[in-house]
Amino acid sequence: MLEIIKYNEDEYPYPCLLVLGCFDALHIGHAELLKKAKLQAKINGLDLGIMMFNNGKGGRQVYTLEERLKLLEQFNLKFVLLVDYNDELKKTSPEEFLSNIENKLNVKGYMSGRDFRFGAGAKGKSSTLKAYAEDDDNGVWYMPVKDITYVGEKVSTTLIKNCIEQEGNLVKAGALLGRNYSVTGIVIEGANRGKKVVGFPTVNMKYPLDKVEVKKGVYKVKCLVGDEEFVGIANYGGRPTYNESSVLLEAHIDGFIGSLYGRAVTIEFVEFLRDTQKFDTTADLTAQLKLDLKRARLKV
């Protein structure tokens, strides 16, 4: 289990390699950096740790801290240096930031992506770390890792958020992340018309307040219920056919039988199918949902 080290509070006495970055999305670029760091830690006989912001840089996140810690298990990390992104940190110079780290951690080497920025005014960068490591008095080494691109674009959290929130391009977002974008929520009671009126039983959940919102519309999804995985379709938004504007995530889980009230369900967004529409009749809505489900049942 990963040890959590709080920045400027907790100590880590063992010689270590620290990977610097924000790591709020844990995308394919981060995975490449961590694979290289894992190798360097092994070669140099060092424990491997990663710096990470506790709650990102504010606002909604691609992954919550709990989700990020789970995703990090595959990289043989020993610890996470947890940093609060607050006013005090924003005033800390790059040199002071590194000094604070080394006052508590036995750092022998640093690694980061070439685009990493840190310190007051984001003045610290790869060249700052290079110069710092070249000063023999500091006794550390530094290795940058070049940016990863996808179809000619630099992989970044900003690009991923744009795919999710603005474009609804969950196929591209999934490729950049290396996995489908997902949210987990507790099933709540809805209007009880899905099975009885529309002919499509659904689960309803409030979208997590700390997660990046998907573009409103209808999606092809995977639904994870415990250890079981199902194909499904989901609508995020209102229900205009019934003049309901409150925003919910509502999913039909193909093939699932039973009640899920009060249970956690994970929805993986595979592909945007269409915008939410207002239908003249329930029969028209049902006919469209049948077409949506037919598309979703194609190879996921």
Side-chain angles (χ1 to χ4, degrees), residues 122-290:
K123 292 181 178 178
K125 49 190 177 181
S126 182
S127 59
T128 308
L129 286 163
K130 182 175 182 293
Y132 181 83
E134 288 176 349
D135 185 338
D136 293 337
D137 291 339
N138 292 322
V140 297
W141 53 268
Y142 168 64
M143 179 183 292
V145 175
K146 67 179 181 180
D147 299 327
I148 299 297
T149 60
Y150 175 80
V151 194
E153 291 182 282
K154 186 182 79 170
V155 178
S156 69
T157 300
T158 299
L159 177 60
I160 291 167
K161 285 185 175 181
N162 186 64
C163 289
I164 296 170
E165 295 176 309
Q166 305 300 323
E167 299 177 6
N169 191 342
L170 275 296
V171 173
K172 183 176 179 180
L176 296 170
L177 289 169
R179 66 195 75 84
N180 292 326
Y181 179 63
S182 66
V183 301
T184 300
I186 301 298
V187 176
I188 60 176
E189 190 166 356
N192 290 312
R193 72 168 70 93
K195 182 178 181 180
K196 298 176 183 177
V197 179
V198 185
F200 277 78
T202 60
V203 295
N204 297 265
M205 64 178 70
K206 292 182 179 179
Y207 202 96
L209 294 175
D210 53 357
K211 293 275 288 183
V212 172
E213 288 183 277
V214 294
K215 177 183 174 181
K216 292 180 175 61
V218 178
Y219 291 84
K220 171 182 178 177
V221 297
K222 288 182 181 179
C223 304
L224 308 181
V225 182
D227 295 329
E228 295 184 277
E229 181 181 295
F230 300 86
V231 171
I233 51 176
N235 176 69
Y236 179 57
R239 291 147 305 286
T241 302
Y242 300 101
N243 298 314
E244 295 177 358
S245 59
S246 59
V247 176
L248 285 175
L249 177 57
E250 184 175 11
H252 170 71
I253 306 176
D254 191 30
F256 180 82
I257 299 174
S259 174
L260 289 170
Y261 289 133
R263 290 183 60 184
V265 172
T266 296
I267 306 296
E268 293 187 1
F269 296 91
V270 178
E271 181 183 2
F272 183 84
L273 296 179
R274 60 177 175 85
D275 292 323
T276 303
Q277 299 170 244
K278 181 178 175 65
F279 294 92
D280 293 331
T281 67
T282 294
D284 290 339
L285 171 59
T286 301
Q288 180 60 56
L289 291 175
K290 287 180 179 178

Side-chain angles (χ1 to χ4, degrees), residues 80-140:
V80 171
L81 176 63
L82 207 57
V83 181
D84 289 324
Y85 190 73
N86 52 29
D87 290 339
E88 182 181 350
L89 183 72
K90 294 174 187 177
K91 297 174 184 176
T92 303
S93 70
E95 294 76 18
E96 186 182 1
F97 178 70
L98 295 174
S99 177
N100 289 341
I101 289 175
E102 292 173 29
N103 282 340
K104 299 291 185 180
L105 279 65
N106 188 6
V107 179
K108 299 300 182 184
Y110 292 104
M111 289 182 69
S112 77
R114 291 188 184 275
D115 63 348
F116 175 60
R117 298 290 183 270
F118 65 103
K123 292 181 178 178
K125 49 190 177 181
S126 182
S127 59
T128 308
L129 286 163
K130 182 175 182 293
Y132 181 83
E134 288 176 349
D135 185 338
D136 293 337
D137 291 339
N138 292 322
V140 297

